[in-house]
Amino acid sequence: MKKIRIPENLTSMAYRAIKDYILDGRLDENTRLTEEFLSQRLGISKSPVREALTRLESERLIQIEPRRGAYLRKFSIKEIGDLYDLREALEVYAVGKTQLSPALLAGLRESVERSRTHLEANDKRRYIEEDVNFHASLTAASGNELLTEILRNLQHQVWLFRRKTYDLSRSKATDTHAAIVRALEEGDKSRAQRLMREHIGEVRDKLIHYLEEQGER
Amino acid sequence: MKKIRIPENLTSMAYRAIKDYILDGRLDENTRLTEEFLSQRLGISKSPVREALTRLESERLIQIEPRRGAYLRKFSIKEIGDLYDLREALEVYAVGKTQLSPALLAGLRESVERSRTHLEANDKRRYIEEDVNFHASLTAASGNELLTEILRNLQHQVWLFRRKTYDLSRSKATDTHAAIVRALEEGDKSRAQRLMREHIGEVRDKLIHYLEEQGER
DNA sequence: TAGGAGGCACTACCATGCAACTATTCATCG
DNA sequence: CGATGAATAGTTGCATGGTAGTGCCTCCTA
């Protein structure tokens, strides 16, 4: 019998823990993520923490200023715009490549249903998770794992600055998701692509508008 | 006067050195990149080397097998196909977003000229660099820095397995580049996009075909 | 009061050492 | 002779400690 692998080391454990910690959204964006604090919190030494931080930096979730430490990444409005533009291009592309299957469609329908439920229950947390899940499922159906990974990372970046802007266009989003599923059910990928493009573009525009207003105050 | 920053630490130095080392192409793909070898070669300790390696792994240039060490990343044919599909989608998108300017067009024309020169001189090294440079310039003209960074990384991944396949469709590529520039000069972005799509698709197909033949032997 | 110099506390960065694990070699047995 | 197991060499993964860079605070001076 093959030996059981424990493909887990403290670095990857720390990576996930810190990532969860910063994506949770309760963190002020100016707090410094010191090695000592993180290592004590996780009960490990600084070495794996440092490695986890370098990985998080290369994923653009934190920024490390030499000799000064690690902070949550700050995004300019232009960077946020670029990010959404890219998401739009990639998700539209993914929809075009979708390998349709009954299982996929069923999964998407269920996702939309769950979104509706959480929306009615006003359960923000689960609603957002389901929204992310919808996009992730659709992307994964393209069969391109590299694309899926990149989009997951872009989504995580989005999380960093969307913490306080949940309320923008919620119910509309679910309806659009449902419309996308309908288009796919009818095998009309180009309509699904158009809907996806409009969907992300709309979220983008509302978010940018909101941020610009905030910035002026 | 502001204090002069030295935004450099051994980790980033090691990162660049190791990256250059593995992208250089002289490395056998089964050699193990041991921490001790790298740290001795660079004259530093293992700590910054380890951090550089974790960063390179998250950029998909190497793969670290737990408790076993770091190797050059190996790509399956499917992964290579996915990579090119993504490059195609992103570069076509970038061309669509290009902010045309006389300076850009002049730069691209010069790049094509240099490519022709290196091709005639049979200078592979410079020719490839110029090819990469052409695509990078065009991408950068989209104004989307995130996109530019992602494409640069994809390009680096391509370098890892294109070391021995330089000869496939070289002169053709330069002609296509020239055609793309002409389309942009005429302000016909959609033609430029179509050419770019065909260009990358063609390179992709030839490469995959070549690799499949190799695999059968 | 504003500006600068000096000191102090903090902590990132890196070096080093050790323990745990992997792979390999060699010996032993069926 | 092939297979199994133990010993061994080699390396990763992690902890720990020292050094030096950074920012803040205080005190001094103009």
Side-chain angles (χ1 to χ4, degrees):
Chain A
M1 172 169 136
K2 212 171 182 182
K3 200 188 283 185
I4 295 171
R5 285 264 187 171
I6 312 163
E8 189 70 344
N9 47 28
L10 287 186
T11 298
S12 52
M13 190 269 270
Y15 164 75
R16 275 185 288 115
I18 299 173
K19 188 164 169 178
D20 287 349
Y21 180 55
I22 62 181
L23 288 183
D24 189 49
R26 268 176 289 193
L27 211 50
D28 181 88
E29 69 174 26
N30 284 54
T31 51
R32 200 165 155 193
L33 296 164
T34 69
E35 298 172 3
E36 187 172 348
F37 169 74
L38 292 171
S39 57
Q40 282 192 1
R41 187 188 158 96
L42 299 174
I44 61 180
S45 85
K46 297 178 298 174
S47 307
V49 168
R50 276 186 65 79
E51 289 173 23
L53 289 178
T54 62
R55 182 159 166 202
L56 288 168
E57 189 195 23
S58 78
E59 293 180 2
R60 305 175 121 247
L61 295 181
I62 63 174
Q63 49 195 48
I64 297 176
E65 300 174 21
R67 294 267 169 208
R68 296 208 47 239
Y71 299 82
L72 289 192
R73 195 174 207 294
K74 287 166 191 153
F75 294 85
S76 68
I77 291 187
K78 175 182 182 305
E79 284 174 322
I80 292 174
D82 286 352
L83 188 47
Y84 270 87
D85 285 347
L86 214 68
R87 262 195 70 195
E88 182 185 307
L90 288 176
E91 294 213 25
V92 168
Y93 172 76
V95 170
K97 289 276 184 180
T98 301
Q99 296 159 2
L100 291 171
S101 73
L104 172 71
L105 292 172
L108 293 177
R109 271 192 300 266
E110 285 167 23
S111 174
V112 171
E113 260 337 287
R114 282 195 295 272
S115 280
R116 288 230 167 84
T117 309
H118 298 142
L119 192 60
E120 284 167 19
N122 208 30
D123 188 338
K124 278 188 186 178
R125 169 112 205 158
R126 285 184 216 275
Y127 173 78
I128 294 164
E129 282 176 5
E130 199 55 55
D131 179 284
V132 171
N133 180 35
F134 179 87
H135 285 273
S137 302
L138 199 43
T139 303
S142 72
N144 189 327
E145 289 168 35
L146 175 57
L147 170 64
T148 306
E149 191 184 316
I150 290 178
L151 270 170
R152 177 168 43 233
N153 176 249
L154 295 185
Q155 185 75 56
H156 288 159
Q157 292 180 53
V158 169
W159 274 4
L160 275 187
F161 56 80
R162 273 214 82 182
R163 293 172 298 179
K164 273 107 189 178
T165 60
Y166 295 149
D167 290 330
L168 309 170
S169 70
R170 289 189 306 172
S171 57
K172 179 88 185 292
T174 306
D175 289 341
T176 308
H177 287 186
I180 291 172
V181 176
R182 271 197 303 277
L184 289 177
E185 283 170 339
E186 296 168 14
D188 189 347
K189 280 188 189 174
S190 59
R191 194 172 98 226
Q193 283 183 301
R194 185 166 43 76
L195 287 167
M196 180 64 89
R197 189 189 314 278
E198 289 168 5
H199 172 46
I200 297 182
E202 196 170 345
V203 173
R204 179 204 120 107
D205 291 343
K206 279 193 181 168
L207 180 60
I208 299 278
H209 184 68
Y210 171 79
L211 291 173
E212 279 172 346
E213 271 192 343
Q214 289 292 97
E216 283 168 5
R217 289 180 194 169
Chain B
M1 172 164 136
K2 211 170 181 183
K3 198 187 284 186
I4 296 172
R5 286 264 185 170
I6 313 163
E8 189 70 344
N9 47 29
L10 286 187
T11 298
S12 52
M13 189 270 270
Y15 164 75
R16 275 184 289 115
I18 299 173
K19 188 164 169 177
D20 287 349
Y21 180 57
I22 61 181
L23 288 183
D24 189 49
R26 268 177 288 193
L27 211 51
D28 182 88
E29 67 175 25
N30 283 53
T31 51
R32 200 165 154 192
L33 296 163
T34 69
E35 297 173 6
E36 186 172 348
F37 169 74
L38 293 171
S39 56
Q40 281 192 1
R41 187 187 159 97
L42 298 173
I44 60 181
S45 85
K46 297 181 302 171
S47 306
V49 168
R50 276 185 66 82
E51 290 173 22
L53 289 177
T54 61
R55 182 159 167 202
L56 288 168
E57 188 195 25
S58 76
E59 293 180 2
R60 306 176 119 247
L61 295 180
I62 63 174
Q63 49 194 50
I64 297 176
E65 299 174 21
R67 291 270 169 207
R68 296 208 46 238
Y71 299 82
L72 289 191
R73 195 176 207 295
K74 286 165 191 153
F75 294 85
S76 68
I77 291 187
K78 175 181 182 305
E79 284 174 323
I80 291 174
D82 286 352
L83 188 46
Y84 269 88
D85 285 347
L86 216 73
R87 263 195 70 194
E88 181 185 307
L90 288 176
E91 295 214 27
V92 168
Y93 171 76
V95 169
K97 288 276 183 181
T98 301
Q99 296 159 2
L100 291 172
S101 73
L104 172 71
L105 292 172
L108 293 177
R109 271 193 300 266
E110 286 166 22
S111 174
V112 171
E113 259 340 286
R114 282 195 296 273
S115 278
R116 287 232 167 82
T117 309
H118 297 142
L119 193 60
E120 284 167 16
N122 208 28
D123 189 338
K124 277 189 187 179
R125 169 110 203 160
R126 286 186 216 277
Y127 174 77
I128 292 164
E129 281 175 7
E130 199 54 55
D131 180 283
V132 171
N133 179 36
F134 179 87
H135 285 274
S137 303
L138 199 44
T139 304
S142 72
N144 190 326
E145 290 168 34
L146 175 57
L147 170 63
T148 307
E149 191 185 315
I150 290 177
L151 270 170
R152 176 168 44 236
N153 177 248
L154 295 186
Q155 185 75 56
H156 288 160
Q157 291 180 53
V158 169
W159 275 4
L160 275 187
F161 56 79
R162 271 214 83 182
R163 292 173 298 180
K164 272 108 189 176
T165 60
Y166 294 147
D167 289 330
L168 309 170
S169 69
R170 290 189 305 173
S171 57
K172 179 85 185 294
T174 307
D175 289 342
T176 309
H177 286 186
I180 290 173
V181 176
R182 271 197 303 278
L184 289 177
E185 283 170 338
E186 295 167 15
D188 190 347
K189 280 187 188 172
S190 59
R191 193 172 98 226
Q193 283 184 302
R194 185 166 43 76
L195 287 166
M196 180 64 89
R197 189 189 314 279
E198 289 169 4
H199 172 47
I200 297 181
E202 195 170 345
V203 173
R204 179 202 120 107
D205 290 344
K206 278 193 181 166
L207 180 60
I208 299 279
H209 184 68
Y210 172 78
L211 292 173
E212 279 173 346
E213 271 193 343
Q214 289 293 97
E216 283 169 5
R217 287 179 196 171

